[in-house]
């Protein structure tokens, strides 16, 4: 099935539909489509262009992501954070 976020008035927050959406955290939400994951903003725009195998929710401005078996952190704009 398709999933998306709705506004308080019951209308869709954006036009895109996903296989899965998480609640927003720090103004971003994890979405899944066609086997890839990324984060979107409240208006439905992608936070960054990269697509990952797995992403976590943001906490303290960081989210854990996995791509090609490698796990690392990204900031709110999707930029890799060196640990």
């Amino acid at each position: 099935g398709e999933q998306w976020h709705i506004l308080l008035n019951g209308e869709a927050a954006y036009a895109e539909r996903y296989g899965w959406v998480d609640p927003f955290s720090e103004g971003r939400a994890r979405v899944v489509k066609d086997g890839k994951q990324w984060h979107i903003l409240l208006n439905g725009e992608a936070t960054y262009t990269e697509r990952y195998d797995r992403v976590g929710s943001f906490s303290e401005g960081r989210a854990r992501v996995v791509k090609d078996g490698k796990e690392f952190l990204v900031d709110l704009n999707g930029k890799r954070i060196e640990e």
Side-chain angles (χ1 to χ4, degrees):
E2 295 182 330
Q3 295 188 5
W4 60 94
H5 294 94
I6 59 170
L7 302 172
L8 293 175
N9 65 8
E11 293 180 12
Y14 46 79
E16 188 68 52
R17 300 296 182 256
Y18 300 98
W20 183 266
V21 297
D22 275 352
F24 282 92
S25 174
E26 299 190 19
R28 279 111 174 113
R30 178 182 75 103
V31 295
V32 180
K33 186 171 188 176
D34 299 328
K36 293 297 180 182
Q37 300 183 17
W38 64 96
H39 294 94
I40 61 168
L41 302 170
L42 295 167
N43 65 4
E45 290 182 23
T47 305
Y48 45 78
T49 58
E50 191 67 57
R51 300 297 180 255
Y52 295 101
D53 300 319
R54 191 172 55 227
V55 300
S57 295
F58 277 96
S59 176
E60 299 180 3
R62 306 180 309 174
R64 191 158 299 281
V65 300
V66 177
K67 183 164 188 172
D68 300 327
K70 296 181 176 137
E71 186 174 327
F72 53 93
L73 295 171
V74 295
D75 67 15
L76 290 169
N77 297 311
K79 184 178 177 186
R80 186 176 181 150
I81 298 170
E82 299 299 329
E83 297 183 76

